Amino acid sequence: MTINTLENEYKKLVDLLGDEILKLNNKSFFITGATGLVASYLVDFIMWYNTAYSQNIYVYAISSKLEKLQKRFKANKNLCFIEQNLNEPLKKKYEADYIIHAASNAHPLAFSKDPVGTMKTNLTGTMNLLEMIKDTAACFLYISTGEIYGNNTDKPFTEDDFGMIDSKLVRSCYPESKRAAETLCMSYNHQYNIKANILRLCYVYGAAITNENSRADAQFLRNALNGEKIIMKSEGLQKRTYCYVADAVYAMLYVILYSKDSQVYNVANPNSIASIREYAETLSELAEVSLQFEIPDEIEKQGYSKPLDSILDASKLMDLGWQPQYDLKTGLSHTLMIKKEEKHV
């Protein structure tokens, strides 16, 4: 591994996308939730790609707080910061070739503290964006979640599975509103012929994990990145399908370039299925930090998901041609290396 792990990932992504990536030159992206883990990687990649390959892709980066955008990204002539609460009417109509809606509360503490806000972003926010482009030729990519499947069965979920979610639980604010947002996408596609695709992400991780993310694996990762002990608050027997952020962004761009509209895809790496405990143990080993156990408090318990396992089958996306590149150990190694390199810049 060379000194610049992130740049190597970017170069690999260009190679994986092939000549189709040239179609993005002179195109524009409208990306919500731009400071989040996945969306920020996409923005960073596009800015790097513009410079490295003399391209001209323009990005509108959207966040509810301007200062978050200014803190996260360097100024660039091809990058426009937009402060916009998606739960409110859009300040103006923006013209872009690709709309990527990645804004959402996506961690347990937010679900328990702000369930209404969680639902508003997924419902009102999605509708506001679809209304903005319903008379245009823009392509819409909705970033959904594997949580829409609810309680697990005895097999990995495919895109044709429905799952079961208890709508009486406050915790269901997230998966239920994501499900409804997916239906909104398909409804606008049917009624207004909007080009829409949906990606159901699983447990995505990477060096840019946000500080507010209270998901267990995110807490473990921050502990490891800071050289701190990892604290587990359960036995960690639940199995998850983890996905490195570079593979998630690869899937987003791959679907934009290669898929027809009105499709739903699971994004998951079959080589990264592990229990929460196995994830923590792998991190502990790679970062050389200790692993300990504690009892969660009541507020934390309210945000925990109920399904025992959450395993997604990504065969449909892989049949399209997408192939994940980073197994769990490799992805976590890259995450730790990138963070280490950032400290020496």
Side-chain angles (χ1 to χ4, degrees):
M1 189 178 299
T2 65
I3 190 62
N4 196 329
T5 306
L6 197 54
E7 186 172 359
N8 280 347
E9 290 180 5
Y10 293 161
K11 290 178 179 178
K12 185 173 186 176
L13 181 52
V14 173
D15 291 340
L16 289 167
L17 292 170
D19 291 342
E20 289 294 298
I21 195 175
L22 296 174
K23 293 180 179 179
L24 298 180
N25 191 26
N26 296 316
K27 301 295 185 182
S28 56
F29 284 76
F30 187 94
I31 304 175
T32 71
T35 60
L37 171 62
V38 180
S40 65
Y41 190 106
L42 175 61
V43 174
D44 287 339
F45 167 73
I46 293 174
M47 293 301 104
W48 172 87
Y49 178 67
N50 277 340
T51 301
Y53 290 83
S54 301
Q55 299 294 289
N56 183 42
I57 306 172
Y58 197 81
V59 173
Y60 297 97
I62 292 80
S63 174
S64 59
K65 294 182 179 179
L66 180 61
E67 57 266 30
K68 290 178 69 175
L69 293 165
Q70 294 170 332
K71 183 178 180 179
R72 176 59 181 80
F73 302 109
K74 295 179 180 178
N76 189 295
K77 66 181 179 64
N78 283 65
L79 180 60
C80 176
F81 296 153
I82 298 174
E83 185 177 53
Q84 172 70 58
N85 185 335
L86 294 173
N87 301 337
E88 300 172 357
L90 299 181
K91 297 175 182 177
K92 61 173 287 187
K93 183 175 182 179
Y94 299 92
E95 294 184 3
D97 298 291
Y98 304 101
I99 312 296
I100 298 180
H101 186 18
S104 177
N105 284 338
H107 61 94
L109 196 56
F111 304 154
S112 61
K113 286 189 172 182
D114 186 24
V116 174
T118 298
M119 296 194 75
K120 279 185 176 180
T121 302
N122 291 333
L123 296 173
T124 306
T126 303
M127 184 172 287
N128 284 341
L129 294 172
L130 290 168
E131 280 289 318
M132 181 179 78
I133 64 169
K134 70 179 183 182
D135 297 318
T136 74
C139 298
F140 191 82
L141 184 64
Y142 184 63
I143 306 304
S144 189
T145 172
E147 286 206 28
I148 64 100
Y149 294 115
N151 292 321
N152 209 345
T153 59
D154 58 354
K155 67 179 183 65
F157 286 115
T158 71
E159 292 81 357
D160 293 326
D161 290 318
F162 304 135
M164 296 179 292
I165 297 172
D166 186 350
S167 61
K168 301 187 301 299
L169 299 176
V170 171
R171 175 62 174 72
S172 297
C173 65
Y174 180 61
E176 286 284 47
S177 57
K178 282 289 190 180
R179 281 161 63 119
E182 289 191 9
T183 305
L184 270 176
C185 293
M186 293 306 174
S187 298
Y188 272 81
N189 173 268
H190 173 78
Q191 190 165 340
Y192 299 106
N193 200 32
I194 283 179
K195 299 175 182 177
N197 284 302
I198 296 165
L199 295 186
R200 293 172 180 163
L201 303 187
C202 53
Y203 286 74
V204 181
Y205 63 92
I209 195 75
T210 58
N211 289 330
E212 61 265 26
N213 193 330
S214 60
R215 213 173 59 200
D217 62 292
Q219 295 180 53
F220 300 161
L221 184 52
R222 284 196 300 272
N223 291 148
L225 291 173
N226 293 328
E228 302 167 349
K229 62 184 177 183
I230 295 173
I231 301 174
M232 289 195 64
K233 297 191 176 184
S234 71
E235 292 184 273
L237 301 180
Q238 304 98 318
K239 289 186 177 180
R240 303 285 186 251
T241 313
Y242 294 96
C243 184
Y244 184 49
V245 63
D247 276 333
V249 170
Y250 172 28
M252 293 163 68
L253 291 171
Y254 197 90
V255 168
I256 284 172
L257 292 169
Y258 288 94
S259 176
K260 297 179 180 178
D261 62 294
S262 300
Q263 296 298 314
V264 180
Y265 297 98
N266 287 337
V267 180
N269 189 336
N271 296 318
S272 290
I273 298 172
S275 69
I276 296 174
R277 180 167 187 149
E278 289 170 337
Y279 176 92
E281 288 173 340
T282 303
L283 255 181
S284 173
E285 177 185 346
L286 290 171
E288 298 181 339
V289 296
S290 63
L291 175 60
Q292 298 181 11
F293 295 83
E294 288 184 6
I295 300 173
D297 61 36
E298 290 304 314
I299 293 179
E300 290 173 317
K301 286 181 180 179
Q302 290 176 19
Y304 288 178
S305 57
K306 300 301 179 183
L308 178 61
D309 293 334
S310 182
I311 301 174
L312 306 188
D313 183 339
S315 297
K316 180 179 178 180
L317 184 55
M318 294 173 70
D319 288 344
L320 185 68
W322 174 82
Q323 295 292 327
Q325 302 296 304
Y326 306 89
D327 61 23
L328 183 59
K329 190 169 185 178
T330 304
L332 289 175
S333 295
H334 274 231
T335 298
L336 294 167
M337 185 64 71
I338 289 169
K339 207 65 177 179
K340 181 178 179 180
E341 291 169 0
E342 287 176 352
K343 293 179 180 179
H344 291 87
V345 173

